[in-house]
Amino acid sequence: MEIRLDRKYAQADRFVITAEGNAPDACYIQSVELNGKPYPHCYIDHADIMRGGELHFKLGRTPNKSWGIE
């Protein structure tokens, strides 16, 4: 998914969300990266979106109980 950002308010033109392994039986988040770096949070800040870049999800069939528990 691509969110087009307005340069009047944002530091970039777009924010992209991608998912690897997306399937009907793979609904659990295994890990997340924001601009190529691990992103351990279960939320995304508005400021992160406005900076632009890519939020990449890796999905799987079983829960990763160690992700997002910071």
Side-chain angles (χ1 to χ4, degrees):
M1 177 176 91
E2 180 176 313
I3 301 170
R4 293 184 187 171
L5 304 173
D6 186 337
R7 284 297 213 143
K8 193 181 206 180
Y9 308 102
Q11 299 167 348
D13 295 324
R14 65 192 189 121
F15 186 79
V16 178
I17 302 170
T18 59
E20 177 182 332
N22 188 15
D25 63 341
C27 60
Y28 297 102
I29 297 171
Q30 302 303 302
S31 64
V32 178
E33 291 181 351
L34 178 60
N35 298 324
K37 297 178 184 172
Y39 193 79
H41 310 294
C42 294
Y43 58 87
I44 181 104
D45 288 326
H46 180 262
D48 289 330
I49 295 170
M50 298 310 278
R51 278 191 285 276
E54 180 181 350
L55 187 67
H56 181 72
F57 289 84
K58 290 184 183 173
L59 304 175
R61 291 184 172 96
T62 58
N64 176 355
K65 295 182 180 181
S66 65
W67 178 81
I69 59 169
E70 63 173 62

